[in-house]
Each structure stands twice: as C-alpha cells, then as structure tokens.
Amino acid sequence: MILWIVGALMILSVGLLKVLVMKYRLKKMERRLVKVAIQDESWQESEQMTLMGIHYTHPSFKRLDELLSSKDRSFQNVVVFLDAPPFIHLLKQRAWNSCRSVRHTPEWSNSRWLALLNGETVAYQWDGQKLHHYTEVEMLLERKIRVFQLEEEQLCTQQSADNFL
Amino acid sequence: MLSIMIFLLDYVMGGLFVVAFYFKKNNFRDLELSVQSYRVLPLSLIRIASIGLLLFEFCLFISFASGQALYYKELGAIALLLAFSFFVVRKRRLDNDLGSTCSCFGSIGILNRYPLSRNSILIGLCASKCLLPAAALSAQASFRQFIIHSVVMGSCLFLVDYYQTRKRYIALQVRG
C-alpha cells in the first residue's frame, strides 16, 4: 500500500513539476515581449492596457462590434488589432473611436503585439506587472462597461455627499 | 460484472469533473468572466463563487475517484448539473440568443458545444448509477481505486497541458 502511494506521488509530482516549469518560462517570455512592445510604442510600462485581437469571421464578431461601437468611456485603454478587409477596417476605425487605437493586422505584421496574439481572437490585459489572458472577449468588454458604470455611480454618490457636507 | 460497471461509471464521472476543474483552473479569469456574465451575483462575490465552484468540482472528483459517499456524490453531481442547465436556460432567455456555449471545459471545444444535451446525458448517467445495487467499498479497495484514478487522470491532464504550453512557447519564441 505504501508503495502504491509513494509511486503515485512520484509520478504526479514529476508531471506537475514539468508543467509548472513550462508555464513559468512561458509567462516570463510573455512578460518580456509585452515590456519590449510597450517600449517600442514609447508608452508607460505601468499603465493599464487591454490588447485585443479580432478576426472578422469569428462567430462573436457581431457582438464585439455592438459592444465596441457603443463607444463606452471604459474602452480608453483598449488597443484592437482587426484582421479584416480594408473597407471593414476603415468603417470600424470610425465606429470604434472610443478605443485607444484600432489597427489593421496586415499593416502591422512585424509587431510584437501580433506575435503575442498569434492570430487568435483573444484579449490580454496588462496592469503594469502581470499579463492576463482572456478567451471570452465579449464578456470582458461587458464586464468593463459594468465596472466602469459602478465606479462612476460610486464617484457620483461620493461627490454629492461631499457637496452636502 | 456489476462492480466493473460501477467502477467505470465512477471513473467517467470523476474524470469529467476533474477535467472540467483542471481546465477551468487554468483559465480562472475566463471562469470569473463567465460567472459574471450570468448576472446572478454582485461583482464582489464573483471571485468567491468561482473558487467555491472549483472546490466543489474537486470534491466531487475526490468522492467519485474513491467511490465513497454513496448516493451523496451522485446527488451532488446531479444538483450541480441541474444548476448549470438552469443558468444556461436563464441566460439564453435573458439574452434571446440561442447560441451560447459554456466554457466549462476550456480548451476542449467539442465538449463545450451542446451544454444542455451534455448535462442531461450526465444526469441520466448519474441517476442510472443510483439505481444499481451498490455495496460500500472497503477502505483498501476505495483507496486503491482513488490512487489509480488520480494517477491516470493526473498524468493525462499534465501531459495535455504540458504539450499545449510548449506549443505556445515555441510559437512565441519563433515570432517574438
């Protein structure tokens, strides 16, 4: 019985260790990539930003379009890389103008951001230190809108309380 | 014969729950987004609810893997699956959009696709297991079952995760 336990623990810990080491190396490389890409753009490394890659044939494109075209103020730090024919890109550049920047993927083929995105419709959020990966991009945008509304409400009630005092 | 069937059913259920747990844990932020998209909880409770869900699934895996907690684990599993189906139906009705998939299995897209039918099949499986006459396993047998189960599932999951991560690492290395 003890033999079984020891054997099982050994196998599982070897597997777990390999996975954790690989993940750590991947995270370190992603972080380095993001820092270099931020420096290339001459942005501040500590500011929050959301990187989004969108392909126009992806099934959630319609919903993403709706959300981004609502021009919500919470999208100020969103950088979008749109992979679509040029006329769609021109339309969307105007429609999504609350975003920080809407870029056309074929024009930026050397960009490190694109290397990070790897051609998928995903989102990355950088908060100055950590990079988070999101597959459900429309839910991320919905949450951004919701959180922003909540913060605004809290600010409003705080301000009216201050004015009252 | 009967004990083999019970073992296999336990194995399938436990395996599904641990796979769901593992891939949800890997994409924890996506899990938080999914939970908040159902709009049943205020934003402050989302993190606790997601962690609670993961713990519950892990407990279900442990109980199925060891074969203990007769009938309680089937009840727990059926309750969880019913809750999932209920939330999916509610979300579809709220959003008037019939195409929602749940991201329950993370990267394995095939199991994500028809959540309602998949959940009903699993509920049927659990219920039919309840109908089988089951005797409580001895401590040694259930311990052995647990070890076999966790080693097999653990090594499969670690292998899949390792190769997925390595593929992405190599892709980044080439392009970055």
Side-chain angles (χ1 to χ4, degrees), chain A residues 1 4-5 8 12 16 19 22-23 25-26 29-30 115-116 124 132 134-136 139 143 146, chain B residues 26 29-30 33-34 36-37 41 91 103 140 143-144 147 151 158 161-162 165 168-169 172-173:
Chain A
M1 188 45 62
W4 287 61
I5 301 180
L12 286 178
L16 185 65
V19 167
M22 198 82 231
K23 288 202 169 197
R25 284 162 70 188
L26 180 69
M29 170 174 279
E30 282 185 344
L116 192 61
Y124 283 94
H132 295 302
Y134 295 93
T135 325
E136 312 267 2
M139 292 183 189
R143 187 176 75 174
R146 207 172 150 195
Chain B
N26 270 351
R29 304 264 154 180
D30 279 332
L33 284 183
S34 299
Q36 81 84 30
S37 82
L41 290 170
K91 186 176 172 200
S103 65
Q140 211 190 36
F143 207 54
R144 209 167 22 189
I147 291 188
V151 168
F158 290 154
D161 201 3
Y162 180 75
T165 318
R168 180 157 166 78
Y169 181 74
L172 276 190
Q173 220 174 22

Side-chain angles (χ1 to χ4, degrees), chain A residues 18-19 22, chain B residues 157-167:
Chain A
K18 292 204 77 165
V19 167
M22 198 82 231
Chain B
L157 288 172
F158 290 154
L159 227 68
V160 168
D161 201 3
Y162 180 75
Y163 278 112
Q164 275 182 348
T165 318
R166 189 159 168 271
K167 201 166 77 162

Side-chain angles (χ1 to χ4, degrees), chain A residues 57-69:
Chain A
T57 53
H58 196 262
S60 58
F61 179 69
K62 192 163 145 214
R63 178 77 182 132
L64 286 173
D65 191 12
E66 271 175 36
L67 286 166
L68 284 168
S69 307

Side-chain angles (χ1 to χ4, degrees), chain A residues 30-125:
Chain A
E30 282 185 344
R31 209 175 304 173
R32 183 186 62 92
L33 211 62
V34 167
K35 287 191 176 163
V36 172
I38 290 185
Q39 270 177 0
D40 283 346
E41 307 260 357
S42 351
W43 288 340
Q44 286 285 40
E45 202 177 277
S46 53
E47 54 176 295
Q48 282 207 5
M49 66 154 281
T50 306
L51 172 74
M52 228 177 268
I54 302 182
H55 197 276
Y56 75 115
T57 53
H58 196 262
S60 58
F61 179 69
K62 192 163 145 214
R63 178 77 182 132
L64 286 173
D65 191 12
E66 271 175 36
L67 286 166
L68 284 168
S69 307
S70 69
K71 300 195 214 258
D72 198 282
R73 273 165 299 158
S74 57
F75 298 155
Q76 277 161 11
N77 280 325
V78 176
V79 175
V80 183
F81 276 89
L82 180 61
D83 197 352
F87 71 96
I88 295 189
H89 171 248
L90 281 176
L91 276 173
K92 297 309 169 192
Q93 205 173 27
R94 229 167 297 159
W96 299 346
N97 61 5
S98 70
C99 300
R100 189 170 191 167
S101 136
V102 179
R103 303 183 181 179
H104 197 204
T105 309
E107 290 171 21
W108 289 76
S109 51
N110 278 334
S111 164
R112 292 216 159 83
W113 297 122
L114 280 182
L116 192 61
L117 285 173
N118 220 11
E120 310 159 333
T121 301
V122 291
Y124 283 94
Q125 220 164 356

Side-chain angles (χ1 to χ4, degrees), chain B residues 16-118:
Chain B
L16 279 169
F17 281 121
V18 80
V19 167
F21 164 78
Y22 192 78
F23 284 113
K24 283 206 189 71
K25 181 191 78 67
N26 270 351
N27 300 320
F28 185 68
R29 304 264 154 180
D30 279 332
L31 174 63
E32 284 184 338
L33 284 183
S34 299
V35 171
Q36 81 84 30
S37 82
Y38 286 103
R39 272 168 281 168
V40 273
L41 290 170
L43 284 177
S44 44
L45 290 182
I46 301 277
R47 180 153 291 194
I48 304 177
S50 329
I51 297 181
L53 178 63
L54 285 182
L55 282 177
F56 190 61
E57 285 193 339
F58 192 65
C59 289
L60 278 178
F61 161 65
I62 292 185
S63 40
F64 274 104
S66 64
Q68 294 292 343
L70 272 183
Y71 299 122
Y72 285 113
K73 58 185 193 294
E74 281 90 10
L75 274 176
I78 293 181
L80 187 67
L81 291 167
L82 280 175
F84 282 161
S85 309
F86 169 70
F87 284 125
V88 169
V89 167
R90 177 176 175 275
K91 186 176 172 200
R92 284 186 182 178
R93 206 166 295 170
L94 275 184
D95 286 346
N96 279 334
D97 136 50
L98 236 36
S100 58
T101 60
C102 79
S103 65
C104 293
F105 281 98
S107 342
I108 308 186
I110 311 180
L111 292 168
N112 271 342
R113 239 181 292 157
Y114 300 106
L116 287 180
S117 353
R118 179 197 74 200

Side-chain angles (χ1 to χ4, degrees), chain B residues 111-160:
Chain B
L111 292 168
N112 271 342
R113 239 181 292 157
Y114 300 106
L116 287 180
S117 353
R118 179 197 74 200
N119 287 353
S120 6
I121 295 179
L122 291 176
I123 293 179
L125 227 64
C126 268
S128 54
K129 176 161 186 277
C130 280
L131 295 176
L132 293 175
L137 287 177
S138 69
Q140 211 190 36
S142 79
F143 207 54
R144 209 167 22 189
Q145 178 174 322
F146 180 68
I147 291 188
I148 297 178
H149 206 162
S150 24
V151 168
V152 171
M153 291 314 301
S155 23
C156 289
L157 288 172
F158 290 154
L159 227 68
V160 168

